Amino acid sequence: MNNKNKSMDNINIGMIGLGYIASGVFSLIQEQKDYLAQKIRKNINITRIAERNLDKIDSSFVKKFREIKITDNADDVIRDENIDIVVELIGGIEPAYDYVYRALDSGKYVVTANKDLIANKGAELFEVAEKNNVDILFEASVGGGIPIIGPLKSSLASNNIYKIVGILNGTTNYILTRMEKDNLSFDDALKKAQELGYAEKANPSSDIEGYDAACKLAILSTIAFNSRVKLDDVYKEGITGILPDDIKNAMDMGYRIKLLAVGVEDSGTINVRVHPALIPVGHILASIEDTFNAVYIYGNYVGEIMSYGRGAGDRPTASSVAGDILKIARNFDRKKKGKIYGCSCFENKRFRLIDETESKFYILMDVLDRPGVLAKIAEVFGKNRVSINSMVQKQTSRGKSARLIFITHKVVNRNLSRSIKEMSELDVVNKVLSVIRVEDLN
């Protein structure tokens, strides 16, 4: 420690986990130690680290940081009365929930990047934090290094936020970008993402099935709409069914396909959904490529604003974790603890089910190439109150079939689902290949 910092108060940090993200946080705090002290006039000291797998900690690390107590028992961090802030970076719901709950219950502040934990157990954690007059901060749980949770809870708090649209998963955004740019199939683009470390090789389902983005949307919607949204409240649809033809057809019509996280509050009801969507190429979200994330927010006073940046990685995520630590440390007083933000859920709004919502749709189907096909399809659409905005027919190489591409007007999802089911049973329809929502984002 620099001599000029010795007179400053010390804020003691206990870390649970020393994996990829945690190592980034550790490095940031150690490398920026004097700089951080000058900014907040306090020393940030990591005094304990709990890592279940001690074998992965190099002996040179232990020798270099002798002053830090290293253990394989998280209880050693939670029970240490000299620790002011516990930083949980192990991920998952259990045992993270148990550790974080007990840390808050013992009067410690907590910082986490754990989206699964906040999306599923946020209510319980805020309750125990409030009971003990402390707080839990989780900026890094959504969007990696993108500041969005803090702004929603502070500088945008005076607004009625009525809509959130985000590209919240870098893996799926990378896959869709490569499908478009390199003319790849979904499977080939996924393989490339796995080779580069953007997607898990063993089980990438959390990303490609929309679970990861849904967790993040639940967190953002809870804050924005002042009403608790859990993961199970979010409609989830992944990108595994996206075809190269869908990508090309969308571009031909002036759209790009993105995995969108959409939260809407209207007249006291909330609609939260994650799904692929065609969005206009002229909208700024359409320009977000590869592993980058973006969150687009609609407020009644601020208007439309967007936050953009790298949504994952050790350094961007460490930036957000450290930012939360500094928020707590800046005005920290052991004798007079208090909330930084607290929970803003003062309402209990009704959820609007996906079947009740209205959307435009892109529909791709393979049909027989003969007279009367369109009449039969139009009859089904008309019976189910589905209005068509445009239709394009493309011949296939087989000659006896054709591809029909429809864009509908806004239709109740329930009606569209019923019409697709009936369409699939027509003798003139070989297969309904794709059904994807169209978002105008206005």
Side-chain angles (χ1 to χ4, degrees):
M1 186 187 301
N2 196 311
N3 288 334
K4 65 183 177 183
N5 298 339
K6 287 184 176 180
S7 62
M8 297 180 187
D9 288 341
N10 293 309
I11 305 297
N12 296 326
I13 309 295
M15 296 181 63
I16 300 178
L18 195 61
Y20 176 60
I21 298 300
S23 296
V25 173
F26 180 88
S27 296
L28 187 156
I29 291 175
Q30 296 303 122
E31 291 171 11
Q32 302 279 83
K33 199 173 189 66
D34 288 341
Y35 177 69
L36 299 179
Q38 292 173 49
K39 290 197 80 165
I40 67 169
R41 309 306 301 166
K42 292 176 183 176
N43 294 306
I44 305 295
N45 302 317
I46 297 173
T47 58
R48 276 189 187 269
I49 297 174
E51 168 52 55
R52 184 175 58 182
N53 184 8
L54 292 178
D55 291 339
K56 75 179 185 182
I57 301 178
D58 193 272
S59 58
S60 61
F61 178 94
V62 178
K63 291 178 182 177
K64 184 176 180 181
F65 301 104
R66 294 180 184 276
E67 73 279 8
I68 300 175
K69 297 175 182 176
I70 299 175
T71 176
D72 62 357
N73 189 348
D75 283 349
D76 292 340
V77 172
I78 296 167
R79 293 172 180 168
D80 188 335
E81 295 182 356
N82 293 315
I83 286 177
D84 305 305
I85 304 171
V86 172
V87 179
E88 179 275 309
L89 295 169
I90 60 174
I93 298 176
E94 290 293 354
Y97 173 69
D98 174 58
Y99 296 158
V100 170
Y101 188 97
R102 289 193 289 119
L104 293 167
D105 202 33
S106 68
K108 292 177 171 59
Y109 289 88
V110 171
V111 173
T112 182
N114 194 333
K115 61 183 178 297
D116 302 85
L117 181 65
I118 301 300
N120 288 281
K121 295 288 189 178
E124 295 89 334
L125 295 176
F126 275 113
E127 184 178 345
V128 69
E130 185 159 353
K131 184 180 75 173
N132 290 279
N133 207 31
V134 289
D135 213 338
I136 175 170
L137 302 190
F138 46 95
E139 183 66 68
S141 66
V142 178
I146 303 172
I148 186 62
I149 290 172
L152 278 173
K153 283 180 169 281
S154 56
S155 52
L156 295 174
S158 61
N159 283 259
N160 294 328
I161 305 298
Y162 58 89
K163 189 173 183 179
I164 297 171
V165 182
I167 295 171
L168 300 179
N169 182 269
T171 300
T172 50
N173 203 45
Y174 175 83
I175 290 170
L176 292 171
T177 301
R178 299 281 50 96
M179 287 180 72
E180 178 190 318
K181 301 289 186 183
D182 301 335
N183 196 28
L184 298 179
S185 68
F186 169 79
D187 288 339
D188 287 342
L190 171 60
K191 184 179 179 181
K192 193 168 184 177
Q194 289 172 320
E195 290 171 352
L196 293 170
Y198 298 149
E200 288 187 23
K201 290 186 177 181
N203 182 14
S205 60
S206 176
D207 293 318
I208 63 177
E209 297 292 352
Y211 176 90
D212 175 87
C215 283
K216 296 169 182 176
L217 179 62
I219 293 168
L220 293 178
S221 298
T222 294
I223 301 165
F225 305 143
N226 307 306
S227 183
R228 178 64 56 190
V229 178
K230 291 189 174 183
L231 175 64
D232 289 344
D233 300 319
V234 181
Y235 170 80
K236 295 175 283 294
E237 185 182 322
I239 65 167
T240 55
I242 301 297
L243 304 172
D245 281 350
D246 298 326
I247 301 287
K248 185 179 185 305
N249 292 336
M251 291 296 292
D252 290 345
M253 295 184 291
Y255 296 98
R256 299 183 83 182
I257 296 178
K258 298 291 182 183
L259 182 70
L260 288 190
V262 182
V264 180
E265 193 277 336
D266 183 26
S267 303
T269 63
I270 298 173
N271 169 230
V272 278
R273 46 196 165 89
V274 170
H275 52 72
L278 279 72
I279 62 176
V281 292
H283 194 280
I284 192 170
L285 282 176
S287 67
I288 309 303
E289 297 183 344
D290 292 318
T291 59
F292 283 88
N293 284 196
V295 184
Y296 203 85
I297 292 175
Y298 301 71
N300 64 332
Y301 274 84
V302 74
E304 300 175 18
I305 61 172
M306 189 181 84
S307 295
Y308 162 81
R310 295 196 178 277
D314 57 338
R315 293 174 72 88
T317 306
S319 173
S320 288
V321 171
D324 278 347
I325 292 171
L326 295 187
K327 281 191 189 83
I328 297 168
R330 192 181 295 275
N331 298 306
F332 183 82
D333 185 342
R334 289 181 182 83
K335 296 180 181 179
K336 191 179 180 182
K337 295 180 180 178
K339 293 185 290 185
I340 310 300
Y341 295 128
C343 182
S344 57
C345 297
F346 57 86
E347 298 183 79
N348 187 18
K349 295 175 180 175
R350 184 181 78 84
F351 289 97
R352 194 176 184 193
L353 300 178
I354 193 68
D355 280 350
E356 300 171 354
T357 62
E358 291 186 345
S359 303
K360 296 179 181 179
F361 283 89
Y362 154 95
I363 304 165
L364 174 65
M365 61 178 72
D366 188 87
V367 302
L368 297 179
D369 188 11
R370 71 185 192 197
V373 171
L374 281 177
K376 288 189 176 183
I377 292 172
E379 182 181 357
V380 172
F381 278 141
K383 184 174 68 174
N384 290 289
R385 304 178 71 179
V386 178
S387 176
I388 301 302
N389 179 53
S390 66
M391 191 277 289
V392 175
Q393 179 172 332
K394 294 184 176 182
Q395 296 304 121
T396 66
S397 58
R398 295 193 302 273
K400 293 184 179 181
S401 67
R403 294 285 174 90
L404 299 182
I405 304 164
F406 296 94
I407 299 290
T408 73
H409 289 291
K410 275 195 173 181
V411 56
V412 176
N413 279 234
R414 184 187 299 108
N415 294 350
L416 192 282
S417 297
R418 189 165 54 242
S419 69
I420 295 299
K421 183 176 184 299
E422 293 178 18
M423 206 87 65
S424 300
E425 297 169 355
L426 291 177
D427 59 357
V428 297
V429 175
N430 295 324
K431 188 175 183 179
V432 178
L433 298 168
S434 300
V435 180
I436 307 172
R437 288 168 178 80
V438 179
E439 296 285 339
D440 290 332
L441 302 179
N442 50 25

